[in-house]
Amino acid sequence: MALIDHFLSRAIRRGQLTLTKPDGSTATFGTPDPALAPVSFTIHDTAVYRAILADPSLGVAEAFMDGRLTIEQGDIMDLLMLATSNSRWENGVNNLAANRWRTMRGKIRHALTRNQTVRSKRNVAHHYDLSDRLYDLFLDADKQYSCAYYTDPANDLDTAQADKKAHIVAKLAIAPGMRVLDVGCGWGGMALYIHAKTGAEVLGITLSEEQLKVARRRAEEAGVADKVRFELIDYRDMTGTFDRIVSVGMFEHVGTKNFRTYLSKCRDLLTPTGVMLMHTIGRADGPNFTDKFTDKYIFPGGYIPSLSEILESNDFIRWFITDIEVLRLHYALTLRAWYDRTVAQKDAIVALYDVRFYRMWTFYLAGAAVSFTNGSLVNYQIQFSRDRTTLPLTRDYMVEEERRLRG
């Protein structure tokens, strides 16, 4: 208990945090800050202290999920926002030795978690084969489960997700008659959008049986099942060639040992003048490792890459990186919208699963939101082209096409 008190007294400067301990005593840390909501929480069990000391993120998460840590003032978003606002990534100190050790530790850990084909399907099912009803409760109408694009921070979620699709598709320079592959197609929204806006034929592939059923149903209902098809297949087993490939939120599930395999396979699936747009969560710093909470409860086998890891994996693959864009706060805004919708649907989610699941889900969304707000996470959009002459010389075509797509 004394160690936790000592840590909090040093870590919390901005914002006010009040802790009630298992013996009923209280301690207050920090000073009020109008930008941060005050938070009061209670630790009900001394075992929670040991769990937090062993692994802070997992210890807090599981205590919160089990009700052994409760929040009386504010909510889990406020607690995590207060904590991380006191240690923003860009305000940290560069420590070369510590960074090298962290990088080595991350590489060792992920060398042991290669995503083989069978394991990949099981990992995908863990998250994406949850009840379809759950995702209906907090996603936009098109069920886009990836970073939205906020041309205005005040935009609603549906507008931001529609703008995301336009932003991505504009970079692909799709012409009528082209064939497009959507790797990790989710519930089919991007594939259906591409066909509706460009006339291209699209094949979406996924390892989620639940997503496959929904995507196929949507294509049937839209009357385009002959032009927009969906298959349950691993990217490694794909054959044929495509004029364009879009990959949104897929690379995070590939696994570090397969980064080069994934990029090389996508290159080989493109025609000689083919173009790919890859949208992935990324780290603004160097290689790291997946925290235990995320690996255990949310995305087993997942890993968020640094830009250096992506570029190193791309070495000697004969295609061009033709554009890189870094989206900084867009996912923070997206996750906040998802979190608010989740909280508003608490009763429905508890009825669907139970209160422990609801707490886990809110911890996941809040933790991700603060990681993009105060941590090192960003989104990368990376464009690849097999031929240097395929795309225009400047980025003007992207702006013009995005304007057209957005109407």
Side-chain angles (χ1 to χ4, degrees):
M1 292 171 61
L3 283 173
I4 297 293
D5 281 7
H6 178 68
F7 170 77
L8 291 175
S9 66
R10 292 170 60 88
I12 306 300
R13 305 288 180 160
R14 293 181 54 223
Q16 191 170 73
L17 180 67
T18 301
L19 165 63
T20 300
K21 305 172 186 180
D23 62 7
S25 62
T26 63
T28 300
F29 308 93
T31 56
D33 187 317
L36 296 168
V39 177
S40 297
F41 73 108
T42 299
I43 292 178
H44 298 276
D45 181 355
T46 56
V48 172
Y49 287 93
R50 294 191 294 273
I52 292 174
L53 288 172
D55 188 298
S57 176
L58 183 63
V60 170
E62 291 188 329
F64 175 69
M65 290 161 57
D66 295 336
R68 292 177 295 135
L69 183 157
T70 57
I71 302 173
E72 282 71 46
Q73 182 181 15
D75 61 12
I76 191 62
M77 177 72 81
D78 295 327
L79 175 60
L80 298 182
M81 192 65 72
L82 189 154
T84 58
S85 293
N86 279 272
S87 57
R88 298 186 74 217
W89 175 78
E90 53 262 56
N91 297 334
V93 177
N94 289 324
N95 185 322
L96 183 59
N99 289 338
R100 284 176 173 169
W101 164 243
R102 184 190 65 188
T103 298
M104 182 173 66
R105 182 174 57 169
K107 287 184 176 180
I108 291 172
R109 180 171 176 182
H110 285 282
L112 302 175
T113 56
R114 185 179 184 123
N115 268 357
Q116 297 172 337
T117 304
V118 173
R119 182 177 296 173
S120 293
K121 190 175 188 304
R122 185 168 64 247
N123 289 342
V124 166
H126 177 91
H127 191 91
Y128 295 101
D129 283 351
L130 292 170
S131 171
D132 197 39
R133 172 65 176 151
L134 170 67
Y135 294 101
D136 286 336
L137 292 172
F138 75 94
L139 296 181
D140 64 300
D142 195 42
K143 297 182 78 167
Q144 291 291 307
Y145 192 30
S146 60
C147 175
Y149 186 71
Y150 283 82
T151 58
D152 184 335
N155 284 350
D156 62 30
L157 182 62
D158 285 85
T159 299
Q161 289 292 12
D163 288 345
K164 182 270 298 292
K165 287 176 284 189
H167 192 64
I168 288 174
V169 174
K171 295 182 178 184
L172 284 165
I174 300 172
M178 285 187 172
R179 296 183 69 238
V180 180
L181 176 65
D182 182 356
V183 185
C185 61
W187 291 276
M190 179 65 77
L192 291 165
Y193 177 91
I194 289 172
H195 175 71
K197 294 291 186 178
T198 70
E201 293 189 13
V202 188
L203 172 63
I205 61 173
T206 179
L207 291 179
S208 167
E209 295 184 11
E210 291 300 314
Q211 288 185 332
L212 179 70
K213 287 190 291 187
V214 173
R216 284 179 169 174
R217 184 180 72 237
R218 293 180 67 186
E220 289 284 353
E221 290 172 350
V224 295
D226 59 329
K227 301 295 183 181
V228 184
R229 298 183 297 108
F230 299 97
E231 299 293 341
L232 190 74
I233 186 171
D234 191 281
Y235 71 90
R236 286 165 284 205
D237 298 325
M238 280 298 302
T239 58
T241 56
F242 299 85
D243 301 290
R244 298 292 186 264
I245 296 176
V246 62
S247 170
V248 180
M250 170 66 186
F251 198 67
E252 303 93 313
H253 302 288
V254 166
T256 55
K257 297 288 288 184
N258 294 320
F259 282 177
R260 184 171 179 81
T261 298
Y262 183 76
L263 294 173
S264 182
K265 180 65 176 181
C266 288
R267 184 264 185 197
D268 292 344
L269 288 170
L270 285 173
T271 63
T273 56
V275 175
M276 173 178 172
L277 193 286
M278 185 173 81
H279 170 113
T280 179
I281 301 172
R283 302 181 190 274
D285 52 5
N288 207 315
F289 58 91
T290 304
D291 66 275
K292 289 183 180 178
F293 167 76
T294 302
D295 192 53
K296 181 177 181 179
Y297 290 101
I298 308 300
F299 295 114
Y303 177 75
I304 295 172
S306 67
L307 185 58
S308 63
E309 289 176 294
I310 299 172
L311 298 181
E312 182 181 9
S313 300
N314 190 64
D315 284 349
F316 307 112
I317 296 177
R318 290 182 182 270
W319 61 353
F320 294 88
I321 292 179
T322 43
D323 192 77
I324 299 177
E325 183 177 10
V326 182
L327 305 179
R328 291 161 288 113
L329 289 169
H330 294 268
Y331 219 158
L333 294 167
T334 307
L335 285 155
R336 187 68 200 225
W338 289 348
Y339 178 85
D340 290 342
R341 288 177 171 220
T342 296
V343 171
Q345 295 289 346
K346 177 181 178 180
D347 291 344
I349 294 172
V350 170
L352 192 62
Y353 290 101
D354 55 33
V355 70
R356 189 175 189 269
F357 179 93
Y358 169 79
R359 291 174 185 151
M360 179 196 74
W361 205 255
T362 55
F363 188 92
Y364 148 56
L365 294 175
V370 302
S371 295
F372 283 92
T373 304
N374 295 317
S376 64
L377 296 189
V378 295
N379 272 86
Y380 296 120
Q381 289 190 353
I382 305 176
Q383 183 194 62
F384 303 86
S385 179
R386 281 195 58 170
D387 190 294
R388 74 188 73 205
T389 64
T390 297
L391 296 166
L393 290 176
T394 72
R395 302 178 83 251
D396 292 352
Y397 76 94
M398 297 183 190
V399 177
E400 294 166 2
E401 178 64 0
E402 185 172 346
R403 187 178 293 119
R404 183 191 74 81
L405 290 168
R406 289 172 58 196

